[in-house]
């Protein structure tokens, strides 16, 4: 999922969730008789990069960093890891760090619970900044909880957590996890299901877009290895990558689970980056594991995405007075010139340009048919989405050798235009584009249901009427859609006003259901969504839908 550095890099907890689930089932190593458990406050063991600078929140000396941990930091967890039977005293399932990682008895924090898989930072009242690989799509969005107050108040006590401290993901506003044009970016900004203010406070963003200086001091706050928040303020920048400003490299004491953690510039105590990649966490020592030890200047260092690309992408796709001032997503257009050859029909050696689109925005681009466009030769254009997948392409547009295409974004984020030439030919010109809004913002809703003996959703269903007009698109599901969920084997059907089925879904995401439908010309009226279960089984969940 991420490019390794010198063959030893690891994904920061993209896979740790599975490690936790498997390892927690086995008993961890016992402490030898008479051996005391390691302390959980600030330590001086020669591990990680030099000294292990990880410190529990209650024990850290910096008041501002303690406040950032308490009021601005979240742990990303699965709903199945959270026990909310007592709303005023939430607990977590699963094992300790020691059992999850098979740690030796002298390792710090081995008795901490380890339910988290990533971390994040509140940057606006209802916006969380994290790594792009932490929340990949709408399905993962729906299956992620953002937990505040996950920290120790003493060596033996955790801060009490209530259901009011736990938030769901409403949508992924912008996301990127790709390398393009020499820049490797990995970020996501998540919209929560409700505002976290005023109980919690957004962390300030580092202003400007200048590189951090080599040896600049930084601090990381997050759930390294999935445990309660730790603060590491002993990190130094090794390489600011001033030429690309995509990420910087530092010697922070961070682990899987720190993915998405806010990284603070200690000079201003503002968020300067997002932790995304790093060196191997644990190594074997006999029959158990210990923290990987590196000198301060050794190993590959930890990669930290600069915060500015994420904020710029957000401000192109949405609005926030705190982050970018108010105002609608941009419309209008722009252009760039290109000269290319031997591009294999725009699959290599292309000239690229990034354009950020809001969900529902339409881009029209070309080397012909758009004001300001121009061409010499035979051009080929391709458009790629935020995940790096091609979403549109055109060779011979406008009745000639130029290129022209239109695309309406269903997901907000940075899209990339790639300009090249047909086959191995040479060409040049100007790619111009316009951005337009396609209409009002999408409307969303949900239906909670519990059913049984529905005969594949043909009887005893739970129903919802939805008014739709010609040209509108409806997507719905117990999976994929933000906020959707299900237990058992769900079946969904959509009927038009005449009682005719127009679409259905059974096993779109495992045993769950997802479908989409566009109202054809001349149609419209009140449609009915019917939720049921496979055969005579029982099922339930939340069907969510989006109308565009």
């Amino acid at each position: 999922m991420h490019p390794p550095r010198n063959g030893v890099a690891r994904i920061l907890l993209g896979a740790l969730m599975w490690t936790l689930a498997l390892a927690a089932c086995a008993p961890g190593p016992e402490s030898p008789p008479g051996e005391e458990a390691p302390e959980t406050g600030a330590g001086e063991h020669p591990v990680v990069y030099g000294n292990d600078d990880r410190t529990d929140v209650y024990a850290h000396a910096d008041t501002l960093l303690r406040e950032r941990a308490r009021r601005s930091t979240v742990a990303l967890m699965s709903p199945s890891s959270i026990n909310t039977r007592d709303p005023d005293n939430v607990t977590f399932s699963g094992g300790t760090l020691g059992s999850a990682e098979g740690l030796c008895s002298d390792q710090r924090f081995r008795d901490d619970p380890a339910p988290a898989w990533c971390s994040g930072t509140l940057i606006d009242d209802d916006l969380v900044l994290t790594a792009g690989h932490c929340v990949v799509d709408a399905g993962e969005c729906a299956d992620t909880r953002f937990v505040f107050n996950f920290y120790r108040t003493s060596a033996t006590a955790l801060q009490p957590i209530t259901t009011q401290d736990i938030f769901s993901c409403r949508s992924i506003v912008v996301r990127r996890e790709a390398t393009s044009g020499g820049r490797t970016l990995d970020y996501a900004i998540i919209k929560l299901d409700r505002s976290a203010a005023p109980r919690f406070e957004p962390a300030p963003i580092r202003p400007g877009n200048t590189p951090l200086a080599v040896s600049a001091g930084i601090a990381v706050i997050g759930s390294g290895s999935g445990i309660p928040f730790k603060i590491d303020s002993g990190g130094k920048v090794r390489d600011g990558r001033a030429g690309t400003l995509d990420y910087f490299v530092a010697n922070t004491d961070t682990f899987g689970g720190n993915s998405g953690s806010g990284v603070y510039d200690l000079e201003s105590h503002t968020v300067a980056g997002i932790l995304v990649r790093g060196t191997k966490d644990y190594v074997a020592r006999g029959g158990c594991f210990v923290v990987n030890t590196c000198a301060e200047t050794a190993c590959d260092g930890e990669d930290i995405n600069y915060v500015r690309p994420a904020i710029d992408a957000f401000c192109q796709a949405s609005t926030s007075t705190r982050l970018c001032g108010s105002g609608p997503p941009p419309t209008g257009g722009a252009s760039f010139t290109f000269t290319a050859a031997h591009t294999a029909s725009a699959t290599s050696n292309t000239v690229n340009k990034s354009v950020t689109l809001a969900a529902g925005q339409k881009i029209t681009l070309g080397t012909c048919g758009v004001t300001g466009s121009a061409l010499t030769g035979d051009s080929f254009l391709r458009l790629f989405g935020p995940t790096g997948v091609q979403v549109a392409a055109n060779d011979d547009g406008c009745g000639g050798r130029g290129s022209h295409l239109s695309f309406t974004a269903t997901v907000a984020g940075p899209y990339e235009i790639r300009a090249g030439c047909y086959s191995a030919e040479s060409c040049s010109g100007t790619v111009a584009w316009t951005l337009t809004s396609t209409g009002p913002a999408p409307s969303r809703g949900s239906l909670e249901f519990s059913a049984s003996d529905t005969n594949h959703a043909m009887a005893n269903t739970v129903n919802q009427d939805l008014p739709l007009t010609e040209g509108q698109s409806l997507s719905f599901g117990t999976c994929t859609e933000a906020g959707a969920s299900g237990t058992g084997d769900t079946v969904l059907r959509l009927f038009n006003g005449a009682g005719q089925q127009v679409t259905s879904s059974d096993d779109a995401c495992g045993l769950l259901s997802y479908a989409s439908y566009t109202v054809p010309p001349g149609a419209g009226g009140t449609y009915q969504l019917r939720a049921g279960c496979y055969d005579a089984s029982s099922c339930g969940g939340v069907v969510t839908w989006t109308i565009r």
Side-chain angles (χ1 to χ4, degrees):
M1 188 163 62
H2 299 282
R5 298 187 312 282
N6 298 331
V8 296
R10 45 108 176 118
I11 306 306
L12 282 178
L13 224 114
L16 181 58
M17 180 171 61
W18 302 104
T19 305
L20 288 172
L22 293 172
C25 297
E30 299 290 336
S31 298
E35 179 173 322
E36 295 182 358
E39 63 176 342
T40 57
E44 299 180 356
H45 303 290
V47 295
V48 195
Y49 292 93
N51 289 338
D52 186 352
D53 296 309
R54 292 175 298 162
T55 307
D56 271 304
V57 174
Y58 75 89
H60 202 277
D62 190 312
T63 302
L64 279 177
L65 292 179
R66 290 201 308 271
E67 282 301 293
R68 297 285 181 259
R70 290 167 176 160
R71 304 199 63 200
S72 308
T73 305
V74 296
L76 277 59
M77 301 184 191
S78 168
S80 62
S81 298
I82 304 172
N83 179 358
T84 59
R85 283 193 291 268
D86 182 351
D88 296 321
N89 184 27
V90 173
T91 58
F92 304 101
S93 60
T96 64
L97 176 62
S99 64
E101 295 291 349
L103 296 186
C104 300
S105 61
D106 60 349
Q107 296 300 288
R108 301 177 69 216
F109 310 118
R110 68 187 302 271
D111 294 325
D112 273 0
W117 74 73
C118 275
S119 305
T121 305
L122 188 71
I123 57 172
D124 206 345
D125 291 350
D126 60 353
L127 297 175
V128 165
L129 175 72
T130 188
H133 69 265
C134 288
V135 185
V136 172
D137 54 28
E140 291 192 5
C141 167
D143 199 38
T144 301
R145 297 297 179 265
F146 299 81
V147 182
F148 288 87
N149 282 339
F150 188 48
Y151 61 86
R152 285 194 174 277
T153 55
S154 71
T156 58
L158 288 168
Q159 169 71 15
I161 295 176
T162 74
T163 53
Q164 294 302 306
D165 303 327
I166 302 172
F167 293 72
S168 298
C169 173
R170 179 177 177 184
S171 65
I172 303 173
V173 185
V174 291
R175 177 185 175 275
R176 184 142 178 102
E177 185 190 356
T179 298
S180 177
R183 305 181 82 207
T184 298
L185 297 173
D186 185 350
Y187 62 76
I189 294 180
I190 305 298
K191 190 173 185 64
L192 301 177
D193 62 329
R194 63 192 189 277
S195 173
R199 294 181 62 240
F200 302 104
E201 180 182 59
I205 300 298
R206 179 176 181 254
N209 193 31
T210 57
L212 288 170
V214 173
S215 297
I218 56 174
V220 183
I221 305 175
S223 292
S225 290
I227 62 179
F229 302 148
K230 303 293 183 276
I231 304 173
D232 165 29
S233 57
K236 302 288 185 183
V237 175
R238 287 184 176 182
D239 181 0
R241 286 176 60 86
T244 55
L245 289 175
D246 49 354
Y247 66 90
F248 56 95
V249 184
N251 60 355
T252 53
D253 298 335
T254 42
F255 293 73
N258 277 122
S259 273
S261 291
V263 180
Y264 292 83
D265 172 12
L266 285 179
E267 184 176 347
S268 61
H269 283 76
T270 55
V271 178
I274 314 149
L275 196 88
V276 294
R277 291 176 299 277
T279 302
K280 185 177 181 180
D281 292 341
Y282 300 103
V283 294
R285 186 181 73 189
C288 54
F289 289 83
V290 298
V291 171
N292 190 21
T293 303
C294 297
E296 293 284 4
T297 57
C299 299
D300 294 318
E302 314 291 291
D303 291 352
I304 301 163
N305 205 115
Y306 276 108
V307 71
R308 185 51 50 186
I311 301 302
D312 288 346
F314 173 86
C315 293
Q316 288 289 319
S318 189
T319 60
S320 165
T321 301
R322 176 178 280 110
L323 299 175
C324 44
S326 56
T331 57
S335 63
F336 69 95
T337 59
F338 75 99
T339 299
H342 301 289
T343 70
S345 297
T347 59
S348 62
N349 304 319
T350 52
V351 178
N352 305 331
K353 179 69 174 180
S354 180
V355 179
T356 299
L357 302 179
Q361 274 195 310
K362 179 180 180 180
I363 183 170
T364 302
L365 64 128
T367 55
C368 62
V370 181
T371 301
S373 62
L375 174 66
T376 300
D378 191 345
S379 65
F380 206 123
L381 294 180
R382 299 182 186 273
L383 181 67
F384 289 77
T387 61
V389 175
Q390 179 178 298
V391 295
N394 183 254
D395 178 14
D396 295 331
C398 311
R401 303 175 71 192
S403 305
H404 184 276
L405 62 88
S406 294
F407 174 78
T408 300
T410 57
V411 176
Y415 289 71
E416 187 171 75
I417 304 168
R418 301 182 186 178
C421 317
Y422 175 75
S423 188
E425 296 181 15
S426 299
C427 64
S428 61
T430 300
V431 180
W433 68 87
T434 59
L435 301 178
T436 56
S437 175
T438 58
S443 61
R444 295 179 172 87
S446 63
L447 168 68
E448 187 171 353
F449 78 101
S450 177
S452 61
D453 297 312
T454 69
N455 186 26
H456 304 285
M458 297 297 291
N460 305 319
T461 53
V462 179
N463 305 330
Q464 175 71 45
D465 289 340
L466 298 172
L468 300 174
T469 59
E470 175 183 333
Q472 282 190 312
S473 294
L474 169 71
S475 58
F476 58 95
T478 52
C479 60
T480 303
E481 287 284 314
S485 63
T487 58
D489 192 342
T490 64
V491 179
L492 299 178
R493 300 182 186 275
L494 182 68
F495 291 79
N496 63 19
Q500 300 167 324
Q501 180 177 298
V502 294
T503 189
S504 65
S505 175
D506 181 8
D507 297 332
C509 319
L511 297 179
L512 302 183
S513 312
Y514 173 80
S516 60
Y517 174 75
T518 299
V519 181
T526 300
Y527 287 68
Q528 189 172 77
L529 174 62
R530 302 180 186 178
C533 318
Y534 178 78
D535 199 20
S537 65
S538 299
C539 66
V542 178
V543 182
T544 60
W545 66 83
T546 302
I547 300 174
R548 296 179 174 85

